[in-house]
Amino acid sequence: MTYLPTLPTPRLIIDEAKLRANIARMQGQCDANGVALWPHIKTHKCLEIARMQLDAGASGLVCAKLGEAEVMLASGVRRIFLAYQLVDPETQAGRLRALADALDTLIVAATSFVQAEALGRVLDRAGITLPVLMAVDTGLGREGVRGLQSAQATAAVIQAHPRMRLMGLYSHEGQAYSEGVDRQMAAQHCVESLAAVRDAIDPALTLWPGCSVTADLAAALPGVHAVRPGTYVFGDLWLSRLTGQMSIAETALSVLTTVVDRPEPGLAFVDGGSKSFSSDKTPEGVFASPADERDFHITRVSEEHGWVTGRQVNELQIGDRVAWTPAHVCPVVNLADTLTVVNEGIVTSEWKVAARGKVS
Ligand SMILES: Cc1ncc(COP(=O)(O)O)c(C=O)c1O
């Protein structure tokens, strides 16, 4: 048996019971409303977790990049939505075709008038016809048509193209990641924005909002066909302390570190910096907080060092282990080769972050 204190650090630790609870909770909320759950795998990039989500009842998986989807095939998934702009026939058509051949359903994304035209060229080169979800910008200002006129013009491009079948509308309401957000209002705003576009184009279009801050509430709103959350599977400071979607105690991933220095009162260093925690932080400048909610935080990072400051920092001693909840979990996972799975303090498995670095 391997116990946590004997492991080298830094290391990503998964509490399997909490992971399973997070998967079951979101699936339960979707099932109760008759809404499909398509989890985004960008958060875990791990075949074992994708299989858990599918076994729990997920209808399909969402990936951003072709490389992520290619890796996820080994999970046994039969339906994937590639929620990212495809634009390059030269490098993407062959891979897209191979992916479509390997799956029962492959859905692709149209995010604007010009990108829809480019997507058409990729599909022409691939020689395949695919279902398309059109993105609607509901406030993030990233992917998605802006306004009804642009929505109608983009939908017309898709509907006129022989290799595209417009099936619905999606959004990523990442703007809901704001401190103290009213989650119900955010979910409602998003779904109403999608519904307005649907009503202007075709009442048969399905609605696919997606973001962990709002997914559980969006699933209960009329007209929603599917939700596509990713971060809910682990949780992080954004999803717990800042937006209140879950508690810190429910977060399933922590970064285990060791205290390596105490050079002056009020300051400790741990052996994880930006190469373990990424550069993402909360609006207060916190990169990570202790999973057991003691009152100190990582408030500055260099590559291999985390500066720990706060009221209880003087309690730390060299060699102490500290498990941290990161501010934003998704880039943290992408920095690690493996996830160490723990049940009641005992290491039970080591899972590969199989789609790590698959950014093309
Ligand atoms: C297109 C798209 N869909 C779904 C998600 C999942 O969002 P979250 O991680 O907030 O659950 C993301 C996250 O970046 C995304 O970009």
Side-chain angles (χ1 to χ4, degrees):
M1 279 198 287
T2 309
Y3 294 92
L4 275 185
T6 65
L7 295 174
T9 60
R11 170 175 298 260
L12 301 194
I13 307 294
I14 304 295
D15 183 317
E16 188 174 342
K18 291 182 182 180
L19 170 68
R20 287 187 184 278
N22 292 343
I23 290 172
R25 195 165 54 247
M26 187 63 79
Q27 188 67 54
Q29 275 147 345
C30 289
D31 290 349
N33 290 291
V35 164
L37 175 58
W38 287 61
H40 202 310
I41 64 89
K42 77 194 181 90
T43 304
H44 56 70
K45 291 177 169 266
C46 173
L47 289 166
E48 287 82 353
I49 299 179
R51 280 191 203 108
M52 276 185 192
Q53 292 172 315
L54 292 166
D55 288 348
S59 303
L61 298 175
V62 180
C63 301
K65 301 297 181 66
L66 284 162
E68 289 178 328
E70 287 159 355
V71 168
M72 283 299 135
L73 287 178
S75 71
V77 65
R78 300 306 308 153
R79 304 203 276 173
I80 288 181
F81 170 33
L82 264 185
Y84 198 83
Q85 291 93 340
L86 293 162
V87 297
D88 182 12
E90 199 60 36
T91 61
Q92 294 178 320
R95 293 171 73 193
L96 190 67
R97 190 192 170 104
L99 204 51
D101 286 347
L103 291 163
D104 294 338
T105 304
L106 176 61
I107 306 170
V108 289
T111 59
S112 71
F113 185 91
V114 287
Q115 188 274 334
E117 290 184 324
L119 174 64
R121 293 190 285 274
V122 175
L123 292 168
D124 282 340
R125 177 79 69 94
I128 50 175
T129 302
L130 293 179
V132 176
L133 286 170
M134 184 172 83
V136 176
D137 176 37
T138 61
L140 181 61
R142 202 180 66 181
E143 72 266 65
V145 293
R146 273 87 162 146
L148 281 187
Q149 246 186 334
S150 153
Q152 284 163 323
T154 307
V157 171
I158 301 166
Q159 285 162 330
H161 196 287
R163 296 208 170 276
M164 295 195 246
R165 278 188 293 106
L166 182 60
M167 64 177 289
L169 305 171
Y170 82 99
S171 60
H172 173 60
E173 56 277 25
Q175 72 278 8
Y177 283 94
S178 83
E179 200 166 358
V181 64
D182 181 332
R183 295 197 307 115
Q184 184 65 40
M185 291 263 290
Q188 242 160 292
H189 167 75
C190 173
V191 174
E192 281 164 14
S193 307
L194 288 176
V197 173
R198 176 200 58 200
D199 295 344
I201 296 172
D202 176 358
L205 294 177
T206 53
L207 306 187
W208 298 55
C211 156
S212 290
V213 178
T214 48
D216 54 341
L217 301 174
L221 295 175
V224 172
H225 170 76
V227 292
R228 319 176 330 274
T231 306
Y232 80 97
V233 75
F234 296 140
D236 53 22
L237 292 182
W238 269 110
L239 210 52
S240 56
R241 204 165 62 210
L242 295 164
T243 63
Q245 197 277 341
M246 68 199 308
S247 68
I248 288 201
E250 287 169 326
T251 61
L253 179 146
S254 58
V255 184
L256 186 67
T257 62
T258 301
V259 176
V260 293
D261 210 347
R262 285 292 325 273
E264 59 185 91
L267 178 64
F269 283 101
V270 289
D271 58 353
S274 61
K275 285 182 172 167
S276 299
F277 289 94
S278 86
S279 299
D280 282 8
K281 52 189 174 181
T282 68
E284 301 81 39
V286 168
F287 294 85
S289 294
D292 61 13
E293 300 189 58
R294 278 178 288 171
D295 191 2
F296 49 73
H297 309 276
I298 296 180
T299 49
R300 184 177 165 192
V301 289
S302 58
E303 288 182 44
E304 299 291 3
H305 289 88
W307 273 252
V308 184
T309 58
R311 199 176 55 79
Q312 284 178 282
V313 72
N314 291 331
E315 295 169 15
L316 291 173
Q317 296 182 358
I318 284 200
D320 282 356
R321 297 300 183 94
V322 184
W324 302 91
T325 304
H328 182 197
V329 71
C330 307
V332 171
V333 173
N334 192 49
L335 292 171
D337 289 329
T338 59
L339 305 172
T340 298
V341 185
V342 169
N343 280 284
E344 293 175 5
I346 296 165
V347 177
T348 50
S349 324
E350 198 77 15
W351 293 338
K352 194 170 173 219
V353 185
R356 174 187 184 185
K358 298 295 181 194
V359 291
S360 72

